[in-house]
Structure formats: structure tokens, C-alpha cells
Amino acid sequence: MTYRVCVVCMGNICRSPMAEVVLRKVLDDRGLGGQVVVESAGTGGWHVGYPMDERALETLSLRGYDGSSHRARQFTRDWFDRYDLVLAMDRDNLSNLQRIAPDGAEVHLFRSFDPAAPEGAEVPDPYYGGREGFEEVLDLVESAAEGIAKHIADEIR
């Protein structure tokens, strides 16, 4: 059985695709890549079909990740049935997902799996800022990815 994860932000061109790429690598490194599918999407649809933001792609590349194949998608209500774990990058997206979620569906904040993060910690949107915002996002994503991978490993067992 394949375990499926979806990481969700606003437009699916910055935070969630960065997290998708990093989480996939962490899971591969732990030997779980063949058992877990990691995808991403946005709560908004204005970027559907577009590649990752160039600044996000460059930030990933500088640390050895490849996000070149990403194309933005929009998360819809019927997608909850596809995923075992849905992760929102911030409280706004968490709220948007909870609003469309069917009864019993769970959505978690991405950073809730980072033991060093305070309760309710978010991954900030770097879109309207400079390179340093994308670097911060990548730092936060890398920090939480290990905890998410551990959670998934425990779920699969």
C-alpha cells in the first residue's frame, strides 16, 4: 500500500513545491521513497500549470535539490480521499482546507512535526520578498521534513 502526502500553500509555486521536493528527498534517503508519494497543491488556482517560482527553484538548486519538473495544481475537496496526510504551510491555508474538508478529514500545519517549532508555527510566504525569504522557507522546511518523515515511517509500520 502506498502512503500519500499533499503539501498545500496558496498558489503552489513557492512554499509547497519546495516542501514537496525536500520531503521527497528525505523520504528517499530513509528508504521510504518507494512507499510514499509526495505531491503539492495550492488553495488558489491562479498559477495552475505554471512552473515553480524562479527564486524558489534557484534556492532549491543551490542546496542540491531539483524542482524543475513542478507544475502548479489546485487542491479541491475531492482530493481529501486521495491523501493520508494533508499539510498546510500556514494558518490561512489550514483554514481554507478545513472549510472545504469533508467530515473527519484532518489537516495539519507543516511545522507541527518540527519538535523545535513553537505550537502553531507557520512557514511564511516569501513571494513578495527577496531571496532571504526563500532561504528561510527552505530552512524551515528542511527542519520539519525529518519529523514528518518519522511520522510517516511510524504510520507505515
Side-chain angles (χ1 to χ4, degrees), residues 25-56:
K25 170 84 166 75
V26 169
L27 290 164
D28 284 346
D29 290 349
R30 286 177 161 245
L32 298 172
Q35 299 172 63
V36 183
V37 172
V38 181
E39 299 177 328
S40 65
T43 55
W46 48 91
H47 294 297
V48 169
Y50 286 93
M52 192 181 305
D53 182 285
E54 289 180 16
R55 297 164 297 173

Side-chain angles (χ1 to χ4, degrees), residues 134-153:
F134 289 86
E135 291 169 359
E136 177 188 13
V137 165
L138 187 50
D139 290 341
L140 296 172
V141 163
E142 286 178 331
S143 183
E146 288 295 333
I148 295 167
K150 182 185 179 318
H151 170 79
I152 292 169

Side-chain angles (χ1 to χ4, degrees), residues 71-90:
R71 294 297 175 267
R73 304 176 318 147
Q74 183 176 9
F75 195 98
T76 59
R77 178 183 168 87
D78 61 314
W79 285 25
F80 281 101
D81 291 338
R82 299 181 192 181
Y83 297 104
D84 300 292
L85 183 60
V86 178
L87 301 168
M89 299 308 276
D90 62 29

